[in-house]
Amino acid sequence: MYYHGRFRIRRSERIATLSPPRALWPQSTSTALILLSLAALGMLGLAHASALGIGVSPDSVAYVHAARSFLAGQGLTTFSPNGGIVPMTQVPPVYPVLLASVAALGVDVALAAKWLSILLFGVTIVVTGAAVRRSTRSLLLSAFGGLLMLTSYDMLYVHSWAWTEPLFIALGLLALLLLAEYVEHPSLRRAVAAAIVVAIAFLTRYTGAALLITGFVAIVLADRGTRGIEWADVAAFLAVACGPMLLWLAWSIHVGAGVAHRSLAWHPPTLRHVASAVDTVWQWLLPGLTPLGLGRSLLAHIGPAGVWAAVLSCALAVGLLLLAGVRWASLKGIESGKWLQQPAGRVLCLSALYCVAYGGLLIASISLLDASTPVDVRILSPLYPAILVGALCLVHEALRRRKGDGLLRSMLVVTAIALAGAQVARGAAWITSAHGSGLGYANVAWQRSEAVEYVRSLDPGRPIFSNRFDALYFLTGKPAIPIPRKANPITLRTEEGYAGDMLRMGRALEASDGVLVYFSTTRWYMPSAAELQQELHVEPLLTFSDGVAYGSIGR
């Protein structure tokens, strides 16, 4: 016997863990065919959902503009709050550069974003199934994992927009898989391979720092018998994973744009953030049923006292379940350290570590950098695959330890059928809805917008001001200047220069015969139509079903 930390492990058990490395890609032909079939089905479903085009949000417009400017040889640029063009530093460069690389083949950037997201959805389905197969050696669990990924509303939704999340999700899963390979068989080569993927993910989203933290902890704590920590592996991992990001940050500071266009300020998460997070995670377990909607229904029927009683009862039930789980774990000897010698146990620990690191970074970002960050489907989407793989590994361990427990197997089968059925129903309904109406600025309403058609008809040199400048740029190709903001949407603080900005915009409208196109779908931090007419010398030129075009009274 020898000691592993505070645990005693038999040498025979240690020798059993030194099996030949498992291949990252399943060697079973049946597994490969099933995962590729699920990936193909998912890609077809996503292509059907995005028939009207990839979903385009304000963030998407920034990525598209950056990719187009990169293609034009102008570097990565984006719009500033006052309508100017500035270097893009609020997001890392990999996604816009990748869009530009695909568009260089002769397709439009938006079309490149669509097919890239569809391809990444297929990759994510395959990698999810491969991770489960490698960790559990179970064909059934591997196929089930791929099916849940395929039918997940959150995954379908996120992959239908021109966002960085699809690329980040695929890279994050691959990074966790490579880190699991390193923990099982530590080597410098495996540390560098994982670091390369982490570096690319880090350059896709700043939250890739969660993968960096996960990798560092995994490499430091990896079991190497009597050899101790391999500091060469640690140094190589940090150098490769952090080096490209450090260069990017140095360039951002050099061009004077700062890091991520953010400044430090204290604005901790609110109950709104907590409620949104609970709502999102809840629907991973019970698709289509939101605790917020359930709470409103209960409030209407049983009153506030009844709701609090239900909440306390649920909290008590969760607490008892956790205590029962801890007790079961102690009875089954999980605390002896044997469980961590299993591939499924290691993957589960890596997934949990990644979720904790990601959640910690998200809280820090909201508290110090961006108070407007919504803890919604998009922001939490990178956690879903990690939690899914970890949960299936946990199920595998439970079944392995209780092979003769027919009740447990029956409960798991019923739960799996119910969850898959609910996800299939919700996912299919969403695909049908997205196919008919489109998403974001690719929505039918935006494509048929009277105000957008009016902007298309304007002379190319005529200045345009708008509360939806990003939509006008994407839909018409014409640059528009954003109207002044009453508040900063990131810090939630009042803009001190608002009055002066409004005065300058009024003068610009009068001097250049500009036009102000105000859409009915406004933003909370921008002035209303009534405020604009009160503070500016403007009058309606044309009224549309979705907005109004204003001109200066002085012209």
Side-chain angles (χ1 to χ4, degrees):
M1 260 184 207
Y2 70 93
Y3 285 86
H4 171 62
R6 65 183 181 88
F7 306 121
R8 292 185 300 173
I9 302 176
R10 294 182 183 276
R11 189 166 297 278
S12 60
E13 293 170 356
R14 171 62 183 164
I15 293 173
T17 65
L18 298 178
S19 56
R22 301 185 179 200
L24 292 178
W25 174 253
Q27 299 300 299
S28 168
T29 303
S30 56
T31 303
L33 287 175
I34 289 174
L35 294 181
L36 289 175
S37 299
L38 289 172
L41 186 60
M43 293 167 69
L44 287 174
L46 198 59
H48 183 73
S50 56
L52 296 178
I54 189 76
V56 178
S57 70
D59 284 351
S60 306
V61 174
Y63 304 141
V64 169
H65 179 271
R68 287 174 177 170
S69 67
F70 189 80
L71 270 176
Q74 300 169 355
L76 296 172
T77 62
T78 189
F79 300 107
S80 67
N82 61 7
I85 302 298
V86 296
M88 186 200 73
T89 60
Q90 70 268 35
V91 293
V94 164
Y95 182 66
V97 170
L98 185 58
L99 287 183
S101 301
V102 177
L105 300 177
V107 299
D108 181 70
V109 172
L111 186 61
K114 171 183 174 178
W115 290 108
L116 179 62
S117 288
I118 291 174
L119 176 62
L120 288 170
F121 188 46
V123 170
T124 299
I125 292 172
V126 171
V127 175
T128 299
V132 175
R133 176 66 168 171
R134 182 191 178 281
S135 304
T136 65
R137 296 190 184 278
S138 170
L139 174 61
L140 183 61
L141 287 178
S142 174
F144 185 61
L147 177 64
L148 290 184
M149 184 63 66
L150 158 66
T151 57
S152 167
Y153 162 78
D154 288 19
M155 293 296 101
L156 285 166
Y157 181 79
V158 167
H159 283 80
S160 63
W161 293 81
W163 288 341
T164 56
E165 278 76 12
L167 178 59
F168 183 76
I169 289 170
L171 291 170
L173 263 179
L174 183 57
L176 291 177
L177 194 57
L178 290 170
L179 287 171
E181 177 79 6
Y182 175 89
V183 171
E184 187 171 347
H185 298 280
S187 71
L188 180 61
R189 175 174 58 85
R190 293 186 177 91
V192 171
I196 292 174
V197 178
V198 170
I200 300 173
F202 204 179
L203 284 175
T204 302
R205 288 187 63 81
Y206 287 120
T207 48
L211 289 170
L212 179 67
I213 295 171
T214 303
F216 173 76
V217 173
I219 291 175
V220 169
L221 299 183
D223 179 20
R224 302 177 181 84
T226 59
R227 288 187 296 155
I229 299 175
E230 290 286 355
W231 291 110
D233 293 2
V234 176
F237 176 83
L238 291 177
V240 175
C242 296
M245 176 54 73
L246 292 176
L247 292 176
W248 169 253
L249 294 178
W251 177 83
S252 299
I253 295 173
H254 173 70
V255 298
V259 178
H261 287 186
R262 302 289 191 269
S263 58
L264 291 177
W266 177 246
H267 26 66
T270 63
L271 288 177
R272 176 179 58 85
H273 292 103
V274 176
S276 179
V278 170
D279 200 54
T280 300
V281 176
W282 182 281
Q283 294 197 64
W284 295 348
L285 305 175
L286 298 173
L289 178 62
T290 69
L292 295 182
L294 182 62
R296 296 188 190 100
S297 178
L298 286 172
L299 185 62
H301 288 86
I302 64 178
V307 172
W308 277 111
V311 170
L312 292 175
S313 299
C314 290
L316 179 60
V318 171
L320 291 175
L321 286 174
L322 290 175
L323 289 175
V326 172
R327 179 59 179 164
W328 176 82
S330 63
L331 289 175
K332 294 299 176 180
I334 290 180
E335 81 283 9
S336 67
K338 298 178 183 178
W339 187 59
L340 293 179
Q341 301 302 317
Q342 301 296 326
R346 286 189 284 262
V347 170
L348 177 56
C349 289
L350 282 172
S351 298
L353 178 59
Y354 171 59
C355 291
V356 171
Y358 188 94
L361 287 174
L362 180 58
I363 293 173
S365 175
I366 293 173
S367 301
L368 299 173
L369 297 175
D370 191 347
S372 66
T373 301
V375 190
D376 56 7
V377 168
R378 177 186 178 186
I379 297 300
L380 294 182
S381 61
L383 298 183
Y384 180 81
I387 292 175
L388 174 60
V389 172
L392 292 177
C393 287
L394 185 61
V395 168
H396 168 76
E397 283 299 305
L399 291 173
R400 187 178 68 84
R401 291 177 178 277
R402 303 185 65 174
K403 294 181 180 179
D405 194 334
L407 178 60
L408 176 63
R409 289 180 177 274
S410 299
M411 290 174 62
L412 289 175
V413 168
V414 171
T415 302
I417 293 175
L419 179 59
Q423 287 209 164
V424 168
R426 191 181 185 209
W430 179 84
I431 288 175
T432 302
S433 173
H435 174 78
S437 59
L439 297 169
Y441 296 150
N443 185 282
V444 172
W446 278 105
Q447 299 293 335
R448 299 174 180 174
S449 166
E450 296 177 1
V452 171
E453 282 299 321
Y454 169 73
V455 171
R456 287 195 182 104
S457 68
L458 294 175
D459 295 335
R462 192 173 184 182
I464 303 169
F465 298 82
S466 179
N467 60 333
R468 287 287 180 175
F469 66 98
D470 43 12
L472 291 179
Y473 168 77
F474 178 76
L475 294 169
T476 70
K478 293 183 177 181
I481 303 170
I483 64 176
R485 306 180 306 187
K486 295 195 298 181
N488 188 316
I490 295 174
T491 64
L492 309 183
R493 295 178 177 177
T494 302
E495 290 281 10
E496 296 181 358
Y498 168 71
D501 291 339
M502 287 289 285
L503 182 61
R504 282 187 287 273
M505 184 179 72
R507 291 172 178 171
L509 278 169
E510 182 177 353
S512 60
D513 191 24
V515 59
L516 193 162
V517 180
Y518 192 90
F519 288 88
S520 304
T521 54
T522 187
R523 290 161 171 164
W524 68 267
Y525 52 87
M526 287 185 170
S528 65
E531 289 174 320
L532 285 174
Q533 291 190 73
Q534 181 179 356
E535 299 178 27
L536 298 174
H537 295 292
V538 294
E539 60 182 353
L541 299 177
L542 290 172
T543 300
F544 314 106
S545 60
D546 56 341
V548 180
Y550 295 97
S552 175
I553 295 178
R555 297 292 299 181

